[in-house]
Short mmCIF file of all heavy atoms in Angstrom, two decimals:
data_model
loop_
_atom_site.label_atom_id
_atom_site.label_comp_id
_atom_site.label_asym_id
_atom_site.label_seq_id
_atom_site.Cartn_x
_atom_site.Cartn_y
_atom_site.Cartn_z
N MET A 1 46.99 -23.65 -6.54
CA MET A 1 46.42 -25.00 -6.60
C MET A 1 45.25 -25.11 -5.63
O MET A 1 45.30 -24.65 -4.50
CB MET A 1 47.48 -26.04 -6.19
CG MET A 1 48.60 -26.19 -7.18
SD MET A 1 48.08 -26.92 -8.72
CE MET A 1 48.19 -28.67 -8.33
N LEU A 2 44.20 -25.75 -6.07
CA LEU A 2 43.07 -26.02 -5.20
C LEU A 2 43.32 -27.35 -4.50
O LEU A 2 43.96 -28.24 -5.04
CB LEU A 2 41.79 -26.10 -6.00
CG LEU A 2 41.40 -24.85 -6.80
CD1 LEU A 2 40.08 -25.10 -7.54
CD2 LEU A 2 41.26 -23.65 -5.90
N SER A 3 42.80 -27.48 -3.29
CA SER A 3 42.98 -28.73 -2.57
C SER A 3 42.09 -29.81 -3.17
O SER A 3 41.07 -29.52 -3.80
CB SER A 3 42.63 -28.53 -1.10
OG SER A 3 41.25 -28.33 -0.96
N GLU A 4 42.47 -31.06 -2.95
CA GLU A 4 41.66 -32.18 -3.44
C GLU A 4 40.26 -32.13 -2.82
O GLU A 4 39.28 -32.47 -3.45
CB GLU A 4 42.34 -33.51 -3.08
CG GLU A 4 43.41 -33.93 -4.08
CD GLU A 4 42.87 -34.09 -5.50
OE1 GLU A 4 41.78 -34.67 -5.65
OE2 GLU A 4 43.52 -33.62 -6.44
N ASP A 5 40.20 -31.71 -1.55
CA ASP A 5 38.90 -31.61 -0.88
C ASP A 5 37.98 -30.66 -1.61
O ASP A 5 36.82 -30.97 -1.86
CB ASP A 5 39.09 -31.08 0.55
CG ASP A 5 39.50 -32.19 1.49
OD1 ASP A 5 39.61 -33.34 1.02
OD2 ASP A 5 39.72 -31.89 2.67
N LEU A 6 38.52 -29.50 -1.95
CA LEU A 6 37.70 -28.51 -2.64
C LEU A 6 37.32 -29.04 -4.02
O LEU A 6 36.17 -28.93 -4.45
CB LEU A 6 38.49 -27.20 -2.76
CG LEU A 6 37.75 -26.04 -3.43
CD1 LEU A 6 36.45 -25.74 -2.69
CD2 LEU A 6 38.62 -24.80 -3.43
N LEU A 7 38.30 -29.62 -4.67
CA LEU A 7 38.06 -30.14 -6.02
C LEU A 7 36.95 -31.19 -6.02
O LEU A 7 36.17 -31.29 -6.96
CB LEU A 7 39.37 -30.73 -6.55
CG LEU A 7 39.66 -30.63 -8.04
CD1 LEU A 7 39.49 -29.22 -8.57
CD2 LEU A 7 41.06 -31.13 -8.31
N SER A 8 36.89 -31.96 -4.96
CA SER A 8 35.88 -33.02 -4.91
C SER A 8 34.48 -32.46 -4.63
O SER A 8 33.49 -33.14 -4.81
CB SER A 8 36.24 -34.07 -3.86
OG SER A 8 36.13 -33.50 -2.57
N MET A 9 34.41 -31.21 -4.19
CA MET A 9 33.11 -30.62 -3.87
C MET A 9 32.51 -29.82 -5.01
O MET A 9 31.34 -29.50 -5.00
CB MET A 9 33.23 -29.70 -2.65
CG MET A 9 33.34 -30.44 -1.34
SD MET A 9 33.24 -29.31 0.06
CE MET A 9 34.81 -28.46 -0.04
N ILE A 10 33.34 -29.47 -5.97
CA ILE A 10 32.81 -28.67 -7.07
C ILE A 10 32.69 -29.52 -8.32
O ILE A 10 33.31 -30.57 -8.44
CB ILE A 10 33.69 -27.41 -7.34
CG1 ILE A 10 35.13 -27.79 -7.61
CG2 ILE A 10 33.57 -26.43 -6.18
CD1 ILE A 10 36.03 -26.59 -7.90
N ALA A 11 31.85 -29.08 -9.22
CA ALA A 11 31.59 -29.84 -10.43
C ALA A 11 31.44 -28.88 -11.59
O ALA A 11 31.24 -27.67 -11.40
CB ALA A 11 30.32 -30.66 -10.26
N CYS A 12 31.51 -29.43 -12.77
CA CYS A 12 31.26 -28.64 -13.97
C CYS A 12 29.85 -28.04 -13.85
O CYS A 12 28.89 -28.75 -13.58
CB CYS A 12 31.36 -29.53 -15.20
SG CYS A 12 30.88 -28.70 -16.72
N PRO A 13 29.71 -26.73 -14.02
CA PRO A 13 28.40 -26.10 -13.87
C PRO A 13 27.44 -26.47 -15.00
O PRO A 13 26.24 -26.23 -14.89
CB PRO A 13 28.73 -24.60 -13.91
CG PRO A 13 29.99 -24.52 -14.70
CD PRO A 13 30.76 -25.76 -14.36
N ILE A 14 27.95 -27.07 -16.02
CA ILE A 14 27.09 -27.39 -17.17
C ILE A 14 26.54 -28.81 -17.04
O ILE A 14 25.35 -29.01 -16.95
CB ILE A 14 27.87 -27.19 -18.49
CG1 ILE A 14 28.43 -25.76 -18.55
CG2 ILE A 14 26.97 -27.46 -19.69
CD1 ILE A 14 29.59 -25.57 -19.48
N GLY A 15 27.44 -29.80 -17.00
CA GLY A 15 26.98 -31.17 -16.95
C GLY A 15 27.17 -31.86 -15.60
O GLY A 15 26.85 -33.03 -15.45
N LYS A 16 27.71 -31.10 -14.62
CA LYS A 16 27.91 -31.62 -13.25
C LYS A 16 28.93 -32.74 -13.16
O LYS A 16 28.94 -33.50 -12.19
CB LYS A 16 26.59 -32.10 -12.60
CG LYS A 16 25.42 -31.16 -12.77
CD LYS A 16 25.65 -29.85 -12.02
CE LYS A 16 24.45 -28.91 -12.24
NZ LYS A 16 24.84 -27.51 -12.26
N ALA A 17 29.80 -32.86 -14.13
CA ALA A 17 30.85 -33.87 -14.06
C ALA A 17 32.00 -33.35 -13.20
O ALA A 17 32.10 -32.16 -12.92
CB ALA A 17 31.35 -34.21 -15.46
N ARG A 18 32.88 -34.25 -12.81
CA ARG A 18 34.06 -33.88 -12.02
C ARG A 18 34.97 -32.95 -12.83
O ARG A 18 35.01 -33.03 -14.06
CB ARG A 18 34.86 -35.13 -11.64
CG ARG A 18 34.22 -36.02 -10.63
CD ARG A 18 34.18 -35.42 -9.24
NE ARG A 18 35.51 -34.94 -8.80
CZ ARG A 18 36.35 -35.67 -8.06
NH1 ARG A 18 36.06 -36.89 -7.70
NH2 ARG A 18 37.51 -35.16 -7.69
N LEU A 19 35.71 -32.13 -12.09
CA LEU A 19 36.68 -31.25 -12.72
C LEU A 19 38.07 -31.72 -12.35
O LEU A 19 38.28 -32.24 -11.25
CB LEU A 19 36.48 -29.81 -12.23
CG LEU A 19 35.14 -29.16 -12.57
CD1 LEU A 19 34.95 -27.90 -11.75
CD2 LEU A 19 35.06 -28.84 -14.05
N ARG A 20 39.00 -31.56 -13.27
CA ARG A 20 40.38 -31.87 -12.91
C ARG A 20 41.22 -30.61 -13.12
O ARG A 20 40.93 -29.79 -13.98
CB ARG A 20 40.86 -33.06 -13.73
CG ARG A 20 41.68 -32.79 -14.93
CD ARG A 20 41.97 -34.10 -15.66
NE ARG A 20 41.32 -34.09 -16.98
CZ ARG A 20 41.82 -33.44 -18.01
NH1 ARG A 20 42.94 -32.80 -17.93
NH2 ARG A 20 41.18 -33.43 -19.16
N GLN A 21 42.24 -30.49 -12.27
CA GLN A 21 43.05 -29.30 -12.33
C GLN A 21 44.14 -29.44 -13.37
O GLN A 21 44.79 -30.48 -13.48
CB GLN A 21 43.68 -29.04 -10.96
CG GLN A 21 44.38 -27.73 -10.86
CD GLN A 21 44.22 -27.09 -9.49
OE1 GLN A 21 43.62 -27.66 -8.61
NE2 GLN A 21 44.76 -25.92 -9.31
N GLU A 22 44.31 -28.41 -14.16
CA GLU A 22 45.38 -28.39 -15.15
C GLU A 22 46.01 -27.01 -15.13
O GLU A 22 45.44 -26.06 -15.66
CB GLU A 22 44.78 -28.68 -16.54
CG GLU A 22 45.38 -29.89 -17.24
CD GLU A 22 44.79 -30.06 -18.61
OE1 GLU A 22 45.10 -29.24 -19.50
OE2 GLU A 22 44.00 -31.00 -18.78
N GLY A 23 47.14 -26.90 -14.50
CA GLY A 23 47.78 -25.59 -14.37
C GLY A 23 46.86 -24.64 -13.62
O GLY A 23 46.38 -24.96 -12.54
N GLU A 24 46.61 -23.49 -14.22
CA GLU A 24 45.77 -22.50 -13.58
C GLU A 24 44.31 -22.63 -13.99
O GLU A 24 43.54 -21.69 -13.87
CB GLU A 24 46.26 -21.09 -13.95
CG GLU A 24 47.59 -20.72 -13.34
CD GLU A 24 47.52 -20.65 -11.82
OE1 GLU A 24 46.97 -19.67 -11.31
OE2 GLU A 24 47.98 -21.61 -11.16
N THR A 25 43.94 -23.79 -14.51
CA THR A 25 42.56 -23.95 -14.95
C THR A 25 41.97 -25.25 -14.41
O THR A 25 42.69 -26.15 -13.98
CB THR A 25 42.47 -24.01 -16.50
OG1 THR A 25 43.22 -25.13 -16.97
CG2 THR A 25 43.01 -22.74 -17.14
N LEU A 26 40.66 -25.31 -14.44
CA LEU A 26 39.94 -26.54 -14.13
C LEU A 26 39.28 -26.99 -15.42
O LEU A 26 38.67 -26.20 -16.13
CB LEU A 26 38.87 -26.28 -13.07
CG LEU A 26 39.36 -25.87 -11.68
CD1 LEU A 26 38.17 -25.59 -10.79
CD2 LEU A 26 40.23 -26.96 -11.08
N VAL A 27 39.40 -28.28 -15.70
CA VAL A 27 38.85 -28.81 -16.94
C VAL A 27 37.78 -29.84 -16.59
O VAL A 27 37.99 -30.72 -15.75
CB VAL A 27 39.94 -29.50 -17.79
CG1 VAL A 27 39.39 -29.92 -19.14
CG2 VAL A 27 41.13 -28.59 -17.96
N CYS A 28 36.65 -29.75 -17.26
CA CYS A 28 35.60 -30.74 -17.04
C CYS A 28 36.05 -32.07 -17.61
O CYS A 28 36.49 -32.15 -18.75
CB CYS A 28 34.31 -30.28 -17.71
SG CYS A 28 33.01 -31.53 -17.64
N THR A 29 35.95 -33.13 -16.81
CA THR A 29 36.44 -34.43 -17.26
C THR A 29 35.51 -35.06 -18.28
O THR A 29 35.85 -36.07 -18.90
CB THR A 29 36.58 -35.40 -16.07
OG1 THR A 29 35.34 -35.44 -15.35
CG2 THR A 29 37.67 -34.94 -15.12
N ARG A 30 34.34 -34.50 -18.45
CA ARG A 30 33.43 -35.08 -19.43
C ARG A 30 33.39 -34.27 -20.73
O ARG A 30 33.72 -34.78 -21.79
CB ARG A 30 32.03 -35.18 -18.85
CG ARG A 30 31.08 -35.74 -19.87
CD ARG A 30 29.74 -36.04 -19.32
NE ARG A 30 28.92 -36.56 -20.40
CZ ARG A 30 27.61 -36.61 -20.36
NH1 ARG A 30 26.97 -36.19 -19.30
NH2 ARG A 30 26.94 -37.08 -21.38
N CYS A 31 32.95 -33.02 -20.62
CA CYS A 31 32.70 -32.28 -21.86
C CYS A 31 33.83 -31.33 -22.24
O CYS A 31 33.83 -30.83 -23.36
CB CYS A 31 31.35 -31.57 -21.80
SG CYS A 31 31.16 -30.42 -20.44
N GLY A 32 34.77 -31.10 -21.33
CA GLY A 32 36.01 -30.44 -21.71
C GLY A 32 36.16 -28.93 -21.63
O GLY A 32 37.23 -28.44 -21.93
N PRO A 33 35.15 -28.16 -21.23
CA PRO A 33 35.41 -26.72 -21.11
C PRO A 33 36.40 -26.44 -19.98
O PRO A 33 36.53 -27.24 -19.05
CB PRO A 33 34.04 -26.11 -20.79
CG PRO A 33 33.28 -27.20 -20.15
CD PRO A 33 33.76 -28.46 -20.82
N ARG A 34 37.07 -25.33 -20.08
CA ARG A 34 38.14 -24.95 -19.16
C ARG A 34 37.71 -23.71 -18.37
O ARG A 34 37.25 -22.74 -18.97
CB ARG A 34 39.32 -24.57 -20.03
CG ARG A 34 40.65 -24.94 -19.57
CD ARG A 34 41.61 -24.72 -20.74
NE ARG A 34 41.91 -25.99 -21.37
CZ ARG A 34 42.80 -26.85 -20.86
NH1 ARG A 34 43.47 -26.56 -19.77
NH2 ARG A 34 43.03 -27.99 -21.47
N PHE A 35 37.87 -23.78 -17.08
CA PHE A 35 37.48 -22.66 -16.21
C PHE A 35 38.72 -22.09 -15.54
O PHE A 35 39.55 -22.85 -15.04
CB PHE A 35 36.48 -23.13 -15.15
CG PHE A 35 35.25 -23.74 -15.75
CD1 PHE A 35 35.18 -25.12 -15.97
CD2 PHE A 35 34.18 -22.96 -16.12
CE1 PHE A 35 34.05 -25.71 -16.54
CE2 PHE A 35 33.04 -23.52 -16.70
CZ PHE A 35 32.98 -24.90 -16.91
N ALA A 36 38.82 -20.79 -15.52
CA ALA A 36 39.99 -20.13 -14.93
C ALA A 36 39.95 -20.20 -13.41
O ALA A 36 38.88 -20.16 -12.81
CB ALA A 36 40.05 -18.69 -15.40
N VAL A 37 41.15 -20.30 -12.81
CA VAL A 37 41.27 -20.21 -11.36
C VAL A 37 42.16 -19.02 -11.07
O VAL A 37 43.26 -18.91 -11.60
CB VAL A 37 41.92 -21.47 -10.75
CG1 VAL A 37 42.01 -21.34 -9.24
CG2 VAL A 37 41.14 -22.71 -11.13
N LYS A 38 41.65 -18.11 -10.25
CA LYS A 38 42.41 -16.92 -9.90
C LYS A 38 42.41 -16.75 -8.41
O LYS A 38 41.36 -16.73 -7.79
CB LYS A 38 41.76 -15.69 -10.56
CG LYS A 38 42.65 -15.05 -11.61
CD LYS A 38 42.07 -13.72 -12.02
CE LYS A 38 42.87 -13.16 -13.21
NZ LYS A 38 42.17 -12.06 -13.83
N ASP A 39 43.59 -16.63 -7.82
CA ASP A 39 43.70 -16.48 -6.36
C ASP A 39 42.90 -17.55 -5.64
O ASP A 39 42.15 -17.27 -4.71
CB ASP A 39 43.23 -15.08 -5.93
CG ASP A 39 44.05 -13.99 -6.59
OD1 ASP A 39 45.26 -14.19 -6.76
OD2 ASP A 39 43.47 -12.95 -6.93
N GLU A 40 43.03 -18.78 -6.09
CA GLU A 40 42.38 -19.94 -5.46
C GLU A 40 40.87 -19.94 -5.63
O GLU A 40 40.17 -20.70 -4.97
CB GLU A 40 42.69 -20.00 -3.96
CG GLU A 40 44.15 -19.78 -3.63
CD GLU A 40 44.87 -21.09 -3.39
OE1 GLU A 40 44.42 -21.86 -2.55
OE2 GLU A 40 45.89 -21.33 -4.07
N ILE A 41 40.35 -19.05 -6.45
CA ILE A 41 38.91 -19.02 -6.66
C ILE A 41 38.62 -19.40 -8.11
O ILE A 41 39.16 -18.80 -9.04
CB ILE A 41 38.33 -17.62 -6.36
CG1 ILE A 41 38.57 -17.31 -4.88
CG2 ILE A 41 36.84 -17.55 -6.71
CD1 ILE A 41 38.25 -15.90 -4.47
N ALA A 42 37.80 -20.42 -8.26
CA ALA A 42 37.46 -20.89 -9.60
C ALA A 42 36.31 -20.07 -10.15
O ALA A 42 35.31 -19.84 -9.47
CB ALA A 42 37.09 -22.36 -9.55
N ASP A 43 36.46 -19.65 -11.37
CA ASP A 43 35.39 -18.93 -12.06
C ASP A 43 34.58 -19.96 -12.84
O ASP A 43 34.95 -20.37 -13.92
CB ASP A 43 35.99 -17.89 -13.00
CG ASP A 43 34.92 -17.11 -13.75
OD1 ASP A 43 33.72 -17.47 -13.64
OD2 ASP A 43 35.27 -16.16 -14.46
N LEU A 44 33.48 -20.39 -12.26
CA LEU A 44 32.70 -21.47 -12.87
C LEU A 44 31.49 -20.97 -13.65
O LEU A 44 30.54 -21.71 -13.86
CB LEU A 44 32.26 -22.47 -11.79
CG LEU A 44 33.38 -23.24 -11.09
CD1 LEU A 44 32.82 -24.16 -10.03
CD2 LEU A 44 34.21 -24.04 -12.09
N LEU A 45 31.54 -19.74 -14.07
CA LEU A 45 30.43 -19.25 -14.89
C LEU A 45 30.54 -19.87 -16.29
O LEU A 45 31.56 -19.72 -16.95
CB LEU A 45 30.49 -17.72 -15.01
CG LEU A 45 30.02 -16.93 -13.79
CD1 LEU A 45 30.23 -15.44 -14.02
CD2 LEU A 45 28.57 -17.22 -13.48
N PRO A 46 29.49 -20.56 -16.72
CA PRO A 46 29.54 -21.18 -18.05
C PRO A 46 29.91 -20.19 -19.14
O PRO A 46 30.66 -20.54 -20.06
CB PRO A 46 28.12 -21.71 -18.24
CG PRO A 46 27.61 -21.94 -16.86
CD PRO A 46 28.22 -20.86 -16.01
N ASP A 47 29.42 -18.97 -19.02
CA ASP A 47 29.72 -17.97 -20.05
C ASP A 47 31.19 -17.60 -20.11
O ASP A 47 31.66 -17.05 -21.10
CB ASP A 47 28.91 -16.69 -19.81
CG ASP A 47 27.45 -16.88 -20.19
OD1 ASP A 47 27.15 -17.86 -20.89
OD2 ASP A 47 26.63 -16.04 -19.79
N HIS A 48 31.93 -17.87 -19.04
CA HIS A 48 33.36 -17.53 -19.00
C HIS A 48 34.24 -18.71 -19.41
O HIS A 48 35.44 -18.57 -19.51
CB HIS A 48 33.76 -17.09 -17.59
CG HIS A 48 33.17 -15.77 -17.18
ND1 HIS A 48 33.39 -15.22 -15.95
CD2 HIS A 48 32.37 -14.92 -17.85
CE1 HIS A 48 32.73 -14.05 -15.88
NE2 HIS A 48 32.10 -13.86 -17.01
N ALA A 49 33.64 -19.85 -19.61
CA ALA A 49 34.43 -21.04 -19.92
C ALA A 49 35.11 -20.93 -21.27
O ALA A 49 34.56 -20.36 -22.21
CB ALA A 49 33.52 -22.27 -19.89
N GLU A 50 36.30 -21.51 -21.31
CA GLU A 50 36.99 -21.61 -22.60
C GLU A 50 36.57 -22.94 -23.21
O GLU A 50 36.79 -24.01 -22.63
CB GLU A 50 38.49 -21.56 -22.35
CG GLU A 50 39.32 -21.49 -23.60
CD GLU A 50 40.80 -21.69 -23.27
OE1 GLU A 50 41.28 -21.05 -22.31
OE2 GLU A 50 41.44 -22.50 -23.95
N LEU A 51 35.95 -22.89 -24.36
CA LEU A 51 35.37 -24.10 -24.94
C LEU A 51 36.42 -25.00 -25.57
O LEU A 51 37.43 -24.51 -26.08
CB LEU A 51 34.32 -23.71 -25.99
CG LEU A 51 33.12 -22.94 -25.42
CD1 LEU A 51 32.25 -22.41 -26.55
CD2 LEU A 51 32.31 -23.78 -24.47
N PRO A 52 36.20 -26.32 -25.53
CA PRO A 52 37.18 -27.24 -26.14
C PRO A 52 37.13 -27.13 -27.67
O PRO A 52 36.18 -26.58 -28.23
CB PRO A 52 36.70 -28.61 -25.68
CG PRO A 52 35.26 -28.44 -25.38
CD PRO A 52 35.07 -27.02 -24.93
N GLU A 53 38.15 -27.67 -28.26
CA GLU A 53 38.25 -27.65 -29.71
C GLU A 53 37.00 -28.28 -30.34
O GLU A 53 36.51 -29.30 -29.88
CB GLU A 53 39.49 -28.43 -30.14
CG GLU A 53 40.16 -27.85 -31.36
CD GLU A 53 41.50 -28.53 -31.61
OE1 GLU A 53 42.28 -28.62 -30.63
OE2 GLU A 53 41.74 -28.95 -32.74
N GLY A 54 36.50 -27.66 -31.37
CA GLY A 54 35.32 -28.21 -32.04
C GLY A 54 34.02 -27.67 -31.51
O GLY A 54 32.97 -27.92 -32.08
N CYS A 55 34.07 -26.94 -30.39
CA CYS A 55 32.86 -26.34 -29.83
C CYS A 55 32.90 -24.83 -30.03
O CYS A 55 33.87 -24.18 -29.69
CB CYS A 55 32.75 -26.61 -28.33
SG CYS A 55 32.38 -28.32 -27.96
N ARG A 56 31.84 -24.30 -30.61
CA ARG A 56 31.81 -22.86 -30.83
C ARG A 56 30.86 -22.18 -29.86
O ARG A 56 30.87 -20.97 -29.73
CB ARG A 56 31.39 -22.57 -32.27
CG ARG A 56 32.37 -23.19 -33.25
CD ARG A 56 31.82 -23.22 -34.64
NE ARG A 56 31.97 -21.90 -35.25
CZ ARG A 56 31.68 -21.65 -36.51
NH1 ARG A 56 31.21 -22.62 -37.28
NH2 ARG A 56 31.83 -20.45 -37.00
N ALA A 57 30.03 -22.96 -29.21
CA ALA A 57 29.09 -22.41 -28.24
C ALA A 57 28.86 -23.47 -27.17
O ALA A 57 29.15 -24.65 -27.38
CB ALA A 57 27.79 -22.04 -28.92
N LEU A 58 28.31 -23.04 -26.04
CA LEU A 58 28.03 -24.00 -24.96
C LEU A 58 27.11 -25.11 -25.47
O LEU A 58 27.21 -26.26 -25.04
CB LEU A 58 27.37 -23.29 -23.78
CG LEU A 58 28.28 -22.31 -23.01
CD1 LEU A 58 27.45 -21.50 -22.03
CD2 LEU A 58 29.39 -23.05 -22.30
N ALA A 59 26.23 -24.78 -26.40
CA ALA A 59 25.29 -25.76 -26.91
C ALA A 59 25.97 -26.89 -27.68
O ALA A 59 25.37 -27.94 -27.92
CB ALA A 59 24.25 -25.08 -27.80
N ASP A 60 27.24 -26.69 -28.06
CA ASP A 60 27.97 -27.73 -28.79
C ASP A 60 28.63 -28.74 -27.86
O ASP A 60 29.16 -29.75 -28.32
CB ASP A 60 29.10 -27.09 -29.64
CG ASP A 60 28.53 -26.24 -30.77
OD1 ASP A 60 27.39 -26.49 -31.19
OD2 ASP A 60 29.25 -25.32 -31.21
N LEU A 61 28.62 -28.47 -26.56
CA LEU A 61 29.28 -29.39 -25.63
C LEU A 61 28.56 -30.73 -25.63
O LEU A 61 27.33 -30.80 -25.73
CB LEU A 61 29.30 -28.80 -24.23
CG LEU A 61 30.20 -27.57 -24.07
CD1 LEU A 61 29.94 -26.91 -22.72
CD2 LEU A 61 31.66 -27.95 -24.20
N GLU A 62 29.34 -31.78 -25.44
CA GLU A 62 28.80 -33.14 -25.51
C GLU A 62 27.64 -33.36 -24.55
O GLU A 62 26.62 -33.93 -24.90
CB GLU A 62 29.95 -34.13 -25.24
CG GLU A 62 29.60 -35.58 -25.51
CD GLU A 62 29.25 -36.31 -24.22
OE1 GLU A 62 29.64 -35.86 -23.15
OE2 GLU A 62 28.55 -37.33 -24.34
N CYS A 63 27.79 -32.87 -23.32
CA CYS A 63 26.74 -33.13 -22.33
C CYS A 63 25.46 -32.36 -22.65
O CYS A 63 24.37 -32.77 -22.24
CB CYS A 63 27.23 -32.83 -20.92
SG CYS A 63 27.85 -31.18 -20.67
N VAL A 64 25.57 -31.27 -23.37
CA VAL A 64 24.38 -30.52 -23.75
C VAL A 64 23.71 -31.19 -24.95
O VAL A 64 22.50 -31.38 -24.98
CB VAL A 64 24.73 -29.05 -24.10
CG1 VAL A 64 23.49 -28.28 -24.53
CG2 VAL A 64 25.40 -28.37 -22.91
N ARG A 65 24.53 -31.61 -25.89
CA ARG A 65 23.98 -32.24 -27.10
C ARG A 65 23.26 -33.54 -26.78
O ARG A 65 22.28 -33.88 -27.44
CB ARG A 65 25.10 -32.47 -28.14
CG ARG A 65 25.47 -31.19 -28.87
CD ARG A 65 26.39 -31.44 -30.04
NE ARG A 65 27.74 -31.79 -29.61
CZ ARG A 65 28.31 -32.97 -29.81
NH1 ARG A 65 27.67 -33.91 -30.45
NH2 ARG A 65 29.51 -33.20 -29.38
N CYS A 66 23.75 -34.28 -25.80
CA CYS A 66 23.08 -35.53 -25.52
C CYS A 66 21.96 -35.36 -24.49
O CYS A 66 21.35 -36.33 -24.06
CB CYS A 66 24.05 -36.63 -25.13
SG CYS A 66 24.77 -36.43 -23.53
N GLY A 67 21.69 -34.13 -24.10
CA GLY A 67 20.51 -33.84 -23.29
C GLY A 67 20.68 -33.92 -21.79
O GLY A 67 19.74 -33.77 -21.04
N ASP A 68 21.94 -34.14 -21.32
CA ASP A 68 22.17 -34.22 -19.88
C ASP A 68 22.32 -32.86 -19.23
O ASP A 68 22.28 -32.74 -18.01
CB ASP A 68 23.44 -35.03 -19.58
CG ASP A 68 23.25 -36.50 -19.91
OD1 ASP A 68 22.09 -36.90 -20.11
OD2 ASP A 68 24.25 -37.23 -19.98
N ALA A 69 22.54 -31.84 -20.03
CA ALA A 69 22.72 -30.51 -19.48
C ALA A 69 21.97 -29.53 -20.35
O ALA A 69 21.69 -29.81 -21.53
CB ALA A 69 24.19 -30.14 -19.42
N ARG A 70 21.62 -28.42 -19.79
CA ARG A 70 20.91 -27.40 -20.55
C ARG A 70 21.64 -26.08 -20.45
O ARG A 70 22.16 -25.74 -19.41
CB ARG A 70 19.50 -27.19 -19.97
CG ARG A 70 18.57 -28.32 -20.20
CD ARG A 70 17.23 -27.94 -19.62
NE ARG A 70 16.66 -26.81 -20.36
CZ ARG A 70 15.60 -26.96 -21.14
NH1 ARG A 70 15.02 -28.09 -21.28
NH2 ARG A 70 15.13 -25.90 -21.79
N VAL A 71 21.67 -25.38 -21.53
CA VAL A 71 22.16 -24.00 -21.49
C VAL A 71 21.09 -23.13 -22.14
O VAL A 71 20.41 -23.57 -23.05
CB VAL A 71 23.51 -23.81 -22.22
CG1 VAL A 71 24.64 -24.41 -21.41
CG2 VAL A 71 23.48 -24.42 -23.60
N ASP A 72 20.97 -21.93 -21.61
CA ASP A 72 19.94 -21.04 -22.18
C ASP A 72 20.55 -20.15 -23.23
O ASP A 72 21.72 -19.90 -23.23
CB ASP A 72 19.33 -20.19 -21.07
CG ASP A 72 18.60 -21.08 -20.07
OD1 ASP A 72 17.90 -22.00 -20.53
OD2 ASP A 72 18.75 -20.85 -18.86
ZN1 LIG B 101 31.03 -30.50 -18.26
#
């Protein structure tokens, strides 16, 4: 588990929204990708994110589609 302090300092690398902890993963509270946490270290690489249902690529995420975030 990550501490609340740490959680409040990190954000979704794509749209910069808050992350919430769910089991061994962090989930973006806005666009929904899931990031793995291993040994208390969050893997926040967008390319490693597990995409939410309905998204097949990072470009399908809500925050990217509405122009608040960019992915290359
Ligand atoms: Zn996000």
Side-chain angles (χ1 to χ4, degrees):
M1 291 292 275
L2 301 181
S3 70
E4 277 301 317
D5 279 359
L6 182 57
L7 213 51
S8 68
M9 284 188 289
I10 56 179
C12 173
I14 304 159
K16 314 294 179 213
R18 290 290 309 265
L19 297 166
R20 99 184 115 78
Q21 188 144 2
E22 238 183 71
E24 291 295 285
T25 61
L26 295 177
V27 186
C28 174
T29 53
R30 178 172 180 198
C31 58
R34 217 168 259 281
F35 303 92
V37 180
K38 246 190 187 166
D39 301 324
E40 314 261 306
I41 297 171
D43 180 353
L44 295 178
L45 284 176
D47 285 345
H48 291 179
E50 187 190 313
L51 297 172
E53 215 171 311
C55 289
R56 300 166 80 174
L58 291 170
D60 293 335
L61 292 169
E62 189 261 339
C63 56
V64 179
R65 282 190 288 114
C66 72
D68 291 346
R70 290 182 66 109
V71 287
D72 296 317

